[in-house]
Amino acid sequence: LYQRYRPWVSTWNFDPKDAFQSNNHSLGYDRFQVLNPSGSVFNLDKVGSKYWGKFRSGKYPYLTWEPADQVKIEAYSDVYLKWSEHFQHYHQPGFKFAINIDPIQFDLYSSNKTSRGWHKLLSPIAGSPYMFIINPNENAQNMLAIIRIGEKYHYLWTKFKSLNEDTITYPPKVLDIDHRQSIGGVSYFYQDGNYVLISVGNATIVYQLHEMDMTITKVTELEVQSSIDYTVSLFMVNNNRMFYQIYKTRECAVNVMLYILAKESHWNTTGKVIPFSSPYCLLKDNIETKNLSVVLETYEEHSSRYCNPQGIMTYSQSNKIMSSFVCMTKDGFTVTNWTQIGVGTDSTLSGISINNNTYIMETHGNGYCYNNEYRNKRPFPRVCESEPVSTANNLNYNIGKLDDWVDHVKNDRSLISSCNSKLLHGMYDQGNYPRTALFNTHDKIGIIELHEGYKSTYTDTANCGSPISYVENGGIMLDAWSFNAF
């Protein structure tokens, strides 16, 4: 067989032994042109120590087999970098991995060696994080995280230049807030300055952000509907800055109330907010509002669209991720087409408008990995015919255009899997309580994400690829990667 099917080449995995150095044509050794030692760090180190044999001058990249855990991915990378530096020779075609995990997960797990994104410990203290990006639509260079450290909420200011460069995170500072209450929502906005709206307990508070000294100061408290528990988020309608308040009452699990936020000059008067709608009951089912998230997109005042704004809403309950289409007309709010899109908990949405397209990203914890070695290789069921089961610590993402989200929720109504043709789905990391923000990198969509990290006591029972536990309790992890707008 060794002379058949020329000019096709073959991988080399220690056999025949002499083909490591020789290209003897009569023996067929010239067929072995791709270095692919069997999957162990020891074997890769062995061939690296011998200056990679004949393959160092070849036109094919070095290959390695199917690691899934971050510790192994980094170990293989270290071997390649060690011997390349030792011999002062970096293989021009590169060093590539055959993987069974999601490509984004691989990029994050290898980012400490490649600088393609971030996967790093933000804080050694664990706690459900909130975060936002200042100026996400242009020249974004500042990210703020709000986490509970001990009995108090703190904010951490992180500066960055690009996703290919390291970050600088400054020491945490105590946030001026009622620390006895739980934060329900955090929403950044610009109005002749940088501000953030935070809901805590029954209060909605405006804070100003000061980039020079990296501080946050309390400006005013808004007068909104009294409720049991709620969250807030901002959006624009016809040049009015509006925010919706999602809250719980004894009669209705999820209500929505719309307000117009007054100009800054009126914040110290009684006209801070103007009610724009009557309360509307979105969902009577008894769910936790902290697990409910909404992204709305608005259009020009004279747009022909019937729904303005329109958007997507998600919530998680009983290990199901539910999503619906949200429409606002002159007659009020409507929420239709509730459908299950995945399995898991703690669903959250983020969005950004770029080049006349709105992109929405949904993340959730305790999801499902469609792609691992066993599920990719088994004869049946096929990968995307798998019956997903909520799996501890699996962090999932779904991202796509708003119009494609709307079409999926209204018409497709299926679980979103790795085989979806319009919405990109996958598993990117392991941990809990994800929070995500999108920003414009001019040529791509930047994605920054925080979550409670993977604890050292956890076990990757589904073999989906485990990250490194940098501290015993997992801490707060910072992930970042980019996404090609399509």
Side-chain angles (χ1 to χ4, degrees), residues 2 4-10 30-33 60:
Y2 62 84
R4 299 187 66 179
Y5 308 117
R6 288 185 179 274
W8 293 355
V9 298
S10 174
D30 60 329
R31 307 296 301 279
F32 297 94
Q33 294 298 314
Y60 297 99

Side-chain angles (χ1 to χ4, degrees), residues 6-134:
R6 288 185 179 274
W8 293 355
V9 298
S10 174
T11 58
W12 181 84
N13 182 21
F14 293 101
D15 184 42
K17 181 179 177 180
D18 291 343
F20 178 65
Q21 298 286 0
S22 171
N23 276 322
N24 187 300
H25 179 82
S26 62
L27 296 176
Y29 292 171
D30 60 329
R31 307 296 301 279
F32 297 94
Q33 294 298 314
V34 182
L35 179 65
N36 189 27
S38 56
S40 76
V41 174
F42 173 82
N43 284 336
L44 186 67
D45 191 60
K46 184 177 180 180
V47 297
S49 66
K50 297 179 179 179
Y51 200 7
W52 311 105
K54 70 179 183 183
F55 303 99
R56 67 177 176 271
S57 58
K59 63 179 182 179
Y60 297 99
Y62 304 152
L63 301 181
T64 195
W65 292 7
E66 303 170 339
D69 299 333
Q70 183 184 0
V71 65
K72 290 185 178 180
I73 291 171
E74 290 197 354
Y76 283 116
S77 302
D78 285 337
V79 168
Y80 169 72
L81 294 172
K82 177 183 73 173
W83 291 115
S84 297
E85 183 176 342
H86 175 80
F87 290 113
Q88 291 296 299
H89 176 84
Y90 289 86
H91 192 47
Q92 190 62 38
F95 174 50
K96 295 190 175 183
F97 291 74
I99 59 172
N100 283 294
I101 60 175
D102 188 281
I104 290 174
Q105 184 182 2
F106 174 80
D107 278 350
L108 291 175
Y109 284 7
S110 62
S111 62
N112 292 331
K113 307 299 178 181
T114 65
S115 298
R116 289 202 304 262
W118 311 331
H119 179 74
K120 59 194 299 183
L121 183 70
L122 182 73
S123 167
I125 307 298
S128 302
Y130 290 86
M131 54 91 70
F132 56 91
I133 298 171
I134 298 176

Side-chain angles (χ1 to χ4, degrees), residues 128-131 146 148 153 175 177-187 196-205 207 227-234 244-248 288-294 314 346-349 434-435:
S128 302
Y130 290 86
M131 54 91 70
I146 298 174
R148 183 180 282 277
Y153 283 106
L175 183 65
I177 204 167
D178 185 350
H179 301 282
R180 298 168 299 175
Q181 304 291 335
S182 296
I183 288 179
V186 174
S187 188
V196 63
L197 199 64
I198 300 178
S199 64
V200 57
N202 284 327
T204 299
I205 306 170
Y207 293 85
S227 63
I228 299 172
D229 180 27
Y230 71 97
T231 184
V232 295
S233 190
L234 290 126
Y244 55 82
Q245 175 194 15
I246 296 172
Y247 62 96
K248 179 188 295 186
E288 292 292 331
T289 55
K290 67 180 181 180
N291 290 334
L292 190 146
S293 188
V294 184
T314 62
D346 307 301
S347 176
T348 185
L349 293 168
R435 292 288 187 274

Side-chain angles (χ1 to χ4, degrees), residues 12 134 149 155 175 185 188 206 210 241 255 305 310 321 326 339 410 421 456 458 462 479:
W12 181 84
I134 298 176
I149 301 177
Y155 61 92
L175 183 65
Y188 164 83
V206 177
H210 308 281
R241 185 165 299 282
N255 298 267
R305 289 181 180 259
Q310 69 173 1
I321 307 299
V326 182
T339 186
K410 293 177 67 175
S421 62
S456 60
Y458 287 162
D479 285 350

